[in-house]
Amino acid sequence: MHQRVRGLRIEQVWFSAHKQPFKTPPAKQARELEGRAILGVHRTGKHIVCELGAAGGGALDESGGEIAAQWIVHLGMTGRLLVTTPDAPLAAHTHARLGLTGGKELRFVDPRRFGRLELRDLKRTAGFTAPGEEPLTIGQEEFAALFHGRRLPIKAALLNQTLLAGVGNIYADESLFQAGITPRRRCERLTKAELERLRLALRQVLEAAIRLGGSSVSDYVDAEGMRGFFQLEHCVYLRTGQPCRRCGRPIRRILLAGRGTHFCVQCQR
Ligand SMILES: [Zn+2]
């Protein structure tokens, strides 16, 4: 996204008539977006944050200008953000079309509408920050401190976005498998060594998934509409009843914290 839209200006905006996925009312959002330059795009937790220049089209130079607003996109379950051209065929469930300079168009497509689109004017509100710590960079001590003395199962803690930002169901299951920890273990019962194994496994799993373009188990595609391949590497997620890649025993599925949870009874303790 960053490489494809950085430095382009939003010329016109079209939104669908659905109430979701708009966290900021669509009319206001469209008015605020038009004319602004996209200075950069980054990820914060599970959110994609587009940094925008001044309203009404401030100067767009190499220095990028001052960040005046943010367009915050949460893909939800089935959302996708595509960089395409205005004449490309329109997918069903397209909720946003941002016409950009350079003959490009940014589209948000979301069949199930769990995604969210929000605009923040930084003159009035603070910039977006994820509530939890970043799993790719967190250190050993801080990681251990997040789970210290907590009685809830480790799987539930991993999904809690106020502790770690951006870890979803797939990556929680996969990293617990890699670390050899059963998802039901209470955080307070984990040893220092186990927590460190988990921290490293989480980083390894997330980095591998990013390298392979994510996990396309249902609708996920990247900015060019390409599916990811990490689902082919899954050891436990959605492999219920299939042999464990390490010990051969069938992978089990339970419900934990309201989510389908996949693990190996033998390899995870
Ligand atoms: Zn196993």
Side-chain angles (χ1 to χ4, degrees):
M1 278 281 300
H2 177 76
Q3 286 162 8
R4 288 175 177 84
V5 302
R6 179 175 166 263
L8 303 181
R9 193 183 298 284
I10 303 164
E11 289 187 307
Q12 50 198 331
V13 178
W14 172 90
F15 286 135
S16 75
H18 285 286
K19 196 164 178 254
Q20 293 128 347
F22 301 101
K23 205 169 164 184
T24 309
K28 180 175 194 272
Q29 203 166 144
R31 206 165 51 235
E32 286 281 343
L33 282 170
E34 269 171 11
R36 291 191 196 261
I38 301 172
L39 305 178
V41 182
H42 68 266
R43 177 192 65 82
T44 301
K46 290 184 179 180
H47 296 76
I48 299 165
V49 180
C50 302
E51 309 280 18
L52 306 174
L60 186 59
D61 53 30
E62 267 308 296
S63 66
E66 191 108 340
I67 297 163
Q70 290 174 325
W71 192 48
I72 301 146
V73 179
H74 191 298
L75 298 178
M77 252 177 110
T78 55
R80 53 179 83 167
L81 211 44
L82 301 169
V83 182
T84 182
T85 52
D87 57 344
L90 201 62
H93 312 290
T94 298
H95 298 291
R97 299 176 70 178
L98 274 58
L100 309 175
T101 49
K104 286 190 183 169
E105 190 167 284
L106 186 55
R107 293 180 186 173
F108 179 70
V109 180
D110 187 6
R112 294 187 65 181
R113 281 182 274 133
F114 287 117
R116 287 292 174 266
L117 303 176
E118 177 190 359
L119 190 112
R120 286 196 185 199
D121 184 343
L122 301 187
K123 278 194 305 247
R124 273 171 239 137
T125 38
F128 181 82
T129 47
E133 300 289 333
E134 171 57 55
L136 290 176
T137 52
I138 189 168
Q140 180 172 2
E141 299 294 318
E142 304 148 86
F143 187 84
L146 288 180
F147 304 99
H148 183 77
R150 289 184 192 273
R151 303 193 62 198
L152 77 167
I154 184 63
K155 164 80 188 270
L158 284 177
L159 294 179
N160 182 340
Q161 298 296 302
T162 64
L163 297 177
L164 284 170
V167 180
N169 204 30
I170 299 173
Y171 303 113
D173 281 5
E174 291 298 319
S175 55
L176 283 169
F177 175 79
Q178 296 300 342
I181 299 168
T182 192
R184 284 187 281 212
R185 280 277 293 285
R186 285 184 182 184
C187 298
E188 62 183 3
R189 306 284 293 274
L190 291 168
T191 66
K192 238 183 158 170
E194 285 172 324
L195 282 168
E196 182 58 2
R197 278 212 314 269
L198 180 58
R199 182 181 75 97
L200 297 174
L202 194 52
R203 187 192 289 182
Q204 199 180 28
V205 163
L206 288 171
E207 281 173 351
I210 291 167
R211 247 192 335 270
L212 291 173
S215 298
S216 294
V217 288
S218 61
D219 302 64
Y220 176 74
V221 291
D222 71 6
E224 281 196 318
M226 301 295 285
R227 288 168 62 83
F229 294 101
F230 191 68
Q231 68 278 12
L232 304 174
E233 309 281 313
H234 290 175
C235 288
V236 287
Y237 188 76
L238 293 188
R239 292 194 67 243
T240 311
Q242 293 178 48
C244 169
R245 296 196 202 278
R246 237 171 243 166
C247 74
R249 288 184 65 147
I251 297 300
R252 279 196 58 193
R253 180 186 188 274
I254 55 167
L255 211 60
L256 205 161
R259 308 297 303 273
T261 296
H262 313 77
F263 66 106
C264 174
V265 185
Q266 178 73 24
C267 300
Q268 293 173 256
R269 294 300 172 98

